[in-house]
Amino acid sequence: MTEILDLPGGVPRGPGGTGLAHGDAEGAGAPLPDLRMRPWVPTDTTELLAAFGDPAIRHYSKTVVDTAADASQFVRIRAQAWSERTGASWAITSDRGTVLGHVGIHVVDRALDSAIIGYWLLPRARGHGVAARAVRAGTTFAFRQLMLHRIELAHAVENAASCRVAERAGYLYEGTLRDAMRYTGERWSTEHLHARLVTDIDMATDA
Ligand SMILES: CC(C)(COP(=O)(O)OP(=O)(O)OC[C@H]1O[C@@H](n2cnc3c(N)ncnc32)[C@H](O)[C@@H]1OP(=O)(O)O)[C@@H](O)C(=O)NCCC(=O)NCCS
């Protein structure tokens, strides 16, 4: 069972992007036969505006994309993080290039080689195990290419689907953090903290 990130030289490919090896049991029954991951690009404005028009994505975001300028900033910040090796973010797409969602690694502390992973899917892509596959692929990339030791994943306690994504991607539950996040609307959120270490057995693929 494999999820292979094929990123020569550690550099995410351009449009057409990163292949997620597929055909394994994860996402069984998914009508999405293949997935790609590629960097966000300036021409993704429409997709980003559509994504942040979705109430669930807005509900669990710290910042939102409401204008073309916001979308440009979203792309610019992630391109800069990549060029500085302080992060890696991808648009998850179908094999036809339809944008399905986002997964991103934000390196928090280079002294500790630790980072945070985040993700969301457009409504059309939900319910087929796509997020867990993308999180696993991004995690593999981060351990191998960003040389991270620990990656944290936090989600609102009531977000059961996200909790399951964390488990499916091998992120162990470590505890509950009170008011550890403030989402849009200045809304405090109590969060489940999950994390994966580079030294962990790959629960996602070895289970
Ligand atoms: C959370 C999100 C990324 C999940 O993505 P997904 O790939 O569609 O996840 P799925 O629908 O395949 O569900 C994943 C698992 O959670 C389970 N699940 C889904 N909704 C659930 C619920 N309400 N209660 C319990 N389990 C649930 C599914 O059965 C599935 O379990 P399985 O892996 O054992 O089959 C997606 O729903 C989303 O983008 N939501 C809005 C934004 C968001 O919440 N982002 C994450 C912030 S941390």
Side-chain angles (χ1 to χ4, degrees):
M1 193 184 304
T2 54
E3 287 285 1
I4 298 167
L5 261 178
D6 177 19
L7 299 173
V11 180
R13 293 178 185 166
T18 299
L20 285 175
H22 154 271
D24 54 36
E26 275 103 28
L32 303 162
D34 204 359
L35 298 176
R36 300 281 186 273
M37 285 164 65
R38 60 155 175 85
W40 287 100
V41 292
T43 49
D44 286 325
T45 300
T46 303
E47 286 77 9
L48 286 167
L49 288 172
F52 282 92
D54 172 64
I57 291 175
R58 293 183 79 86
H59 190 72
Y60 289 123
S61 295
K62 276 194 295 186
T63 55
V64 294
V65 172
D66 279 333
T67 65
D70 294 342
S72 297
Q73 189 177 23
F74 180 100
V75 174
R76 192 167 54 246
I77 286 171
R78 283 155 184 81
Q80 183 175 347
W82 173 253
S83 67
E84 295 171 352
R85 296 296 190 269
T86 55
S89 297
W90 299 272
I92 308 161
T93 78
S94 70
D95 52 359
R96 293 182 172 187
T98 303
V99 173
L100 304 177
H102 164 78
V103 61
I105 309 268
H106 169 56
V107 177
V108 176
D109 190 335
R110 259 302 162 198
L112 295 175
D113 290 330
S114 67
I116 290 174
I117 193 164
Y119 47 87
W120 44 255
L121 294 183
L122 285 150
R124 60 176 167 246
R126 292 177 195 155
H128 306 292
V130 169
R133 289 176 64 193
V135 169
R136 281 199 301 275
T139 299
T140 300
F141 176 90
F143 285 142
R144 290 183 183 166
Q145 306 294 340
L146 297 178
M147 309 306 287
L148 294 174
H149 181 74
R150 173 183 166 88
I151 306 174
E152 297 186 350
L153 185 164
H155 64 84
V157 289
E158 75 277 6
N159 194 342
S162 195
C163 195
R164 188 73 188 122
V165 167
E167 291 169 348
R168 288 288 294 266
Y171 282 75
L172 298 184
Y173 171 73
E174 293 189 340
T176 299
L177 309 178
R178 297 176 302 149
D179 286 0
M181 180 56 71
R182 189 156 54 187
Y183 292 117
T184 46
E186 301 296 300
R187 183 171 42 86
W188 288 107
S189 171
T190 294
E191 302 266 303
H192 276 180
L193 176 67
H194 298 247
R196 256 187 83 169
L197 304 182
V198 69
T199 50
D200 283 345
I201 295 170
D202 189 343
M203 311 287 284
T205 56
D206 292 352

Short mmCIF file of all heavy atoms in Angstrom, two decimals, residues 160-190:
data_model
loop_
_atom_site.label_atom_id
_atom_site.label_comp_id
_atom_site.label_asym_id
_atom_site.label_seq_id
_atom_site.Cartn_x
_atom_site.Cartn_y
_atom_site.Cartn_z
N ALA A 160 -15.72 15.85 13.59
CA ALA A 160 -15.46 14.41 13.63
C ALA A 160 -14.81 13.90 12.35
O ALA A 160 -13.96 13.00 12.39
CB ALA A 160 -16.77 13.66 13.88
N ALA A 161 -15.17 14.47 11.21
CA ALA A 161 -14.56 14.02 9.95
C ALA A 161 -13.08 14.34 9.95
O ALA A 161 -12.24 13.53 9.53
CB ALA A 161 -15.26 14.68 8.77
N SER A 162 -12.73 15.52 10.46
CA SER A 162 -11.32 15.91 10.49
C SER A 162 -10.54 15.03 11.46
O SER A 162 -9.37 14.68 11.21
CB SER A 162 -11.19 17.38 10.88
OG SER A 162 -9.90 17.86 10.60
N CYS A 163 -11.17 14.66 12.57
CA CYS A 163 -10.52 13.75 13.53
C CYS A 163 -10.21 12.42 12.86
O CYS A 163 -9.12 11.86 13.02
CB CYS A 163 -11.44 13.54 14.73
SG CYS A 163 -10.60 12.81 16.16
N ARG A 164 -11.12 11.96 12.08
CA ARG A 164 -10.93 10.68 11.39
C ARG A 164 -9.84 10.81 10.31
O ARG A 164 -9.05 9.88 10.12
CB ARG A 164 -12.26 10.24 10.77
CG ARG A 164 -12.24 8.88 10.20
CD ARG A 164 -12.23 7.80 11.26
NE ARG A 164 -12.02 6.50 10.62
CZ ARG A 164 -11.03 5.67 10.90
NH1 ARG A 164 -10.17 5.95 11.84
NH2 ARG A 164 -10.91 4.54 10.25
N VAL A 165 -9.81 11.94 9.65
CA VAL A 165 -8.74 12.19 8.66
C VAL A 165 -7.39 12.08 9.36
O VAL A 165 -6.45 11.45 8.86
CB VAL A 165 -8.90 13.57 7.99
CG1 VAL A 165 -7.65 13.97 7.22
CG2 VAL A 165 -10.12 13.58 7.07
N ALA A 166 -7.28 12.72 10.54
CA ALA A 166 -6.02 12.68 11.29
C ALA A 166 -5.63 11.23 11.60
O ALA A 166 -4.49 10.82 11.36
CB ALA A 166 -6.16 13.49 12.58
N GLU A 167 -6.60 10.48 12.09
CA GLU A 167 -6.30 9.08 12.44
C GLU A 167 -5.89 8.29 11.21
O GLU A 167 -4.92 7.53 11.23
CB GLU A 167 -7.54 8.44 13.08
CG GLU A 167 -7.85 8.99 14.47
CD GLU A 167 -9.22 8.54 14.97
OE1 GLU A 167 -10.02 8.00 14.16
OE2 GLU A 167 -9.50 8.73 16.17
N ARG A 168 -6.62 8.50 10.13
CA ARG A 168 -6.33 7.75 8.90
C ARG A 168 -4.96 8.10 8.33
O ARG A 168 -4.35 7.30 7.62
CB ARG A 168 -7.41 8.02 7.84
CG ARG A 168 -8.75 7.38 8.11
CD ARG A 168 -8.74 5.88 7.91
NE ARG A 168 -8.53 5.47 6.52
CZ ARG A 168 -9.50 5.21 5.67
NH1 ARG A 168 -10.76 5.32 6.03
NH2 ARG A 168 -9.22 4.83 4.44
N ALA A 169 -4.50 9.30 8.63
CA ALA A 169 -3.20 9.74 8.12
C ALA A 169 -2.07 9.46 9.10
O ALA A 169 -0.94 9.88 8.90
CB ALA A 169 -3.25 11.23 7.78
N GLY A 170 -2.39 8.74 10.19
CA GLY A 170 -1.35 8.31 11.12
C GLY A 170 -0.98 9.33 12.17
O GLY A 170 0.06 9.21 12.82
N TYR A 171 -1.83 10.34 12.37
CA TYR A 171 -1.57 11.35 13.39
C TYR A 171 -2.22 10.91 14.71
O TYR A 171 -3.44 10.85 14.81
CB TYR A 171 -2.12 12.71 12.94
CG TYR A 171 -1.24 13.41 11.93
CD1 TYR A 171 -1.19 12.99 10.61
CD2 TYR A 171 -0.45 14.49 12.30
CE1 TYR A 171 -0.36 13.62 9.68
CE2 TYR A 171 0.37 15.13 11.39
CZ TYR A 171 0.41 14.69 10.09
OH TYR A 171 1.23 15.32 9.18
N LEU A 172 -1.40 10.65 15.69
CA LEU A 172 -1.91 10.16 16.97
C LEU A 172 -2.53 11.29 17.76
O LEU A 172 -2.02 12.41 17.79
CB LEU A 172 -0.78 9.54 17.78
CG LEU A 172 -0.10 8.31 17.18
CD1 LEU A 172 0.94 7.76 18.15
CD2 LEU A 172 -1.11 7.23 16.82
N TYR A 173 -3.63 11.00 18.44
CA TYR A 173 -4.28 11.97 19.33
C TYR A 173 -3.40 12.18 20.57
O TYR A 173 -2.97 11.22 21.22
CB TYR A 173 -5.65 11.44 19.75
CG TYR A 173 -6.31 12.26 20.82
CD1 TYR A 173 -6.83 13.52 20.55
CD2 TYR A 173 -6.40 11.77 22.13
CE1 TYR A 173 -7.44 14.27 21.54
CE2 TYR A 173 -7.01 12.52 23.12
CZ TYR A 173 -7.52 13.77 22.82
OH TYR A 173 -8.10 14.52 23.81
N GLU A 174 -3.11 13.45 20.89
CA GLU A 174 -2.23 13.73 22.03
C GLU A 174 -2.92 14.48 23.16
O GLU A 174 -2.40 14.55 24.26
CB GLU A 174 -1.01 14.54 21.57
CG GLU A 174 -0.09 13.73 20.65
CD GLU A 174 1.22 14.44 20.36
OE1 GLU A 174 1.29 15.68 20.54
OE2 GLU A 174 2.18 13.75 19.95
N GLY A 175 -4.08 15.10 22.86
CA GLY A 175 -4.74 15.82 23.94
C GLY A 175 -5.73 16.85 23.42
O GLY A 175 -5.90 17.04 22.22
N THR A 176 -6.43 17.47 24.36
CA THR A 176 -7.42 18.48 24.03
C THR A 176 -6.94 19.83 24.56
O THR A 176 -6.56 19.94 25.73
CB THR A 176 -8.78 18.12 24.65
OG1 THR A 176 -9.20 16.86 24.11
CG2 THR A 176 -9.83 19.18 24.33
N LEU A 177 -6.92 20.82 23.66
CA LEU A 177 -6.38 22.13 23.99
C LEU A 177 -7.52 23.14 24.04
O LEU A 177 -8.20 23.36 23.03
CB LEU A 177 -5.35 22.56 22.94
CG LEU A 177 -4.24 21.55 22.61
CD1 LEU A 177 -3.32 22.11 21.51
CD2 LEU A 177 -3.44 21.21 23.85
N ARG A 178 -7.73 23.75 25.19
CA ARG A 178 -8.84 24.70 25.34
C ARG A 178 -8.53 26.02 24.65
O ARG A 178 -7.45 26.58 24.81
CB ARG A 178 -9.10 24.96 26.82
CG ARG A 178 -9.55 23.69 27.58
CD ARG A 178 -9.70 23.99 29.05
NE ARG A 178 -8.46 24.50 29.61
CZ ARG A 178 -8.39 25.36 30.63
NH1 ARG A 178 -9.48 25.81 31.20
NH2 ARG A 178 -7.23 25.75 31.08
N ASP A 179 -9.51 26.52 23.88
CA ASP A 179 -9.38 27.80 23.18
C ASP A 179 -8.01 27.96 22.52
O ASP A 179 -7.35 28.99 22.65
CB ASP A 179 -9.62 28.96 24.14
CG ASP A 179 -11.09 29.12 24.50
OD1 ASP A 179 -11.91 28.32 24.00
OD2 ASP A 179 -11.42 30.03 25.28
N ALA A 180 -7.63 26.94 21.78
CA ALA A 180 -6.29 26.95 21.18
C ALA A 180 -6.27 27.54 19.78
O ALA A 180 -5.22 27.74 19.20
CB ALA A 180 -5.73 25.54 21.15
N MET A 181 -7.46 27.81 19.24
CA MET A 181 -7.54 28.39 17.90
C MET A 181 -8.61 29.46 17.91
O MET A 181 -9.58 29.38 18.67
CB MET A 181 -7.89 27.29 16.88
CG MET A 181 -8.01 27.75 15.46
SD MET A 181 -6.54 28.58 14.85
CE MET A 181 -5.40 27.20 14.72
N ARG A 182 -8.40 30.49 17.07
CA ARG A 182 -9.44 31.50 16.89
C ARG A 182 -9.76 31.58 15.41
O ARG A 182 -8.95 32.02 14.61
CB ARG A 182 -8.99 32.85 17.43
CG ARG A 182 -10.11 33.86 17.46
CD ARG A 182 -9.89 34.97 18.47
NE ARG A 182 -8.62 35.64 18.29
CZ ARG A 182 -8.15 36.55 19.15
NH1 ARG A 182 -8.84 36.90 20.21
NH2 ARG A 182 -6.98 37.12 18.92
N TYR A 183 -10.93 31.10 15.05
CA TYR A 183 -11.35 31.08 13.66
C TYR A 183 -12.00 32.41 13.30
O TYR A 183 -12.08 33.33 14.12
CB TYR A 183 -12.32 29.92 13.43
CG TYR A 183 -11.68 28.54 13.56
CD1 TYR A 183 -12.10 27.66 14.54
CD2 TYR A 183 -10.67 28.14 12.69
CE1 TYR A 183 -11.53 26.39 14.66
CE2 TYR A 183 -10.08 26.88 12.81
CZ TYR A 183 -10.51 26.02 13.79
OH TYR A 183 -9.94 24.77 13.92
N THR A 184 -12.45 32.48 12.05
CA THR A 184 -13.11 33.69 11.57
C THR A 184 -14.24 34.08 12.53
O THR A 184 -14.88 33.22 13.15
CB THR A 184 -13.72 33.45 10.18
OG1 THR A 184 -14.42 32.21 10.20
CG2 THR A 184 -12.66 33.42 9.11
N GLY A 185 -14.48 35.35 12.63
CA GLY A 185 -15.53 35.82 13.52
C GLY A 185 -15.07 35.86 14.96
O GLY A 185 -15.90 35.89 15.88
N GLU A 186 -13.74 35.79 15.17
CA GLU A 186 -13.19 35.87 16.53
C GLU A 186 -13.75 34.76 17.42
O GLU A 186 -14.00 34.95 18.60
CB GLU A 186 -13.48 37.25 17.16
CG GLU A 186 -12.92 38.42 16.38
CD GLU A 186 -11.40 38.39 16.32
OE1 GLU A 186 -10.77 38.43 17.38
OE2 GLU A 186 -10.86 38.31 15.20
N ARG A 187 -13.95 33.61 16.82
CA ARG A 187 -14.56 32.48 17.53
C ARG A 187 -13.47 31.57 18.07
O ARG A 187 -12.72 30.97 17.31
CB ARG A 187 -15.46 31.74 16.54
CG ARG A 187 -16.24 30.58 17.07
CD ARG A 187 -17.24 30.14 15.98
NE ARG A 187 -16.65 30.14 14.66
CZ ARG A 187 -15.98 29.09 14.16
NH1 ARG A 187 -15.86 27.98 14.84
NH2 ARG A 187 -15.46 29.17 12.95
N TRP A 188 -13.38 31.47 19.37
CA TRP A 188 -12.42 30.57 19.99
C TRP A 188 -12.86 29.13 19.80
O TRP A 188 -14.05 28.83 19.83
CB TRP A 188 -12.27 30.85 21.48
CG TRP A 188 -11.53 32.12 21.78
CD1 TRP A 188 -12.06 33.29 22.24
CD2 TRP A 188 -10.13 32.35 21.61
NE1 TRP A 188 -11.07 34.24 22.38
CE2 TRP A 188 -9.87 33.68 22.00
CE3 TRP A 188 -9.06 31.56 21.18
CZ2 TRP A 188 -8.60 34.24 21.97
CZ3 TRP A 188 -7.80 32.11 21.14
CH2 TRP A 188 -7.58 33.44 21.53
N SER A 189 -11.87 28.26 19.65
CA SER A 189 -12.18 26.85 19.42
C SER A 189 -11.30 25.97 20.30
O SER A 189 -10.08 26.14 20.36
CB SER A 189 -11.93 26.49 17.95
OG SER A 189 -12.03 25.10 17.75
N THR A 190 -11.94 25.03 20.99
CA THR A 190 -11.21 23.99 21.70
C THR A 190 -10.87 22.91 20.70
O THR A 190 -11.72 22.47 19.92
CB THR A 190 -12.06 23.46 22.86
OG1 THR A 190 -12.23 24.51 23.81
CG2 THR A 190 -11.40 22.27 23.53
#
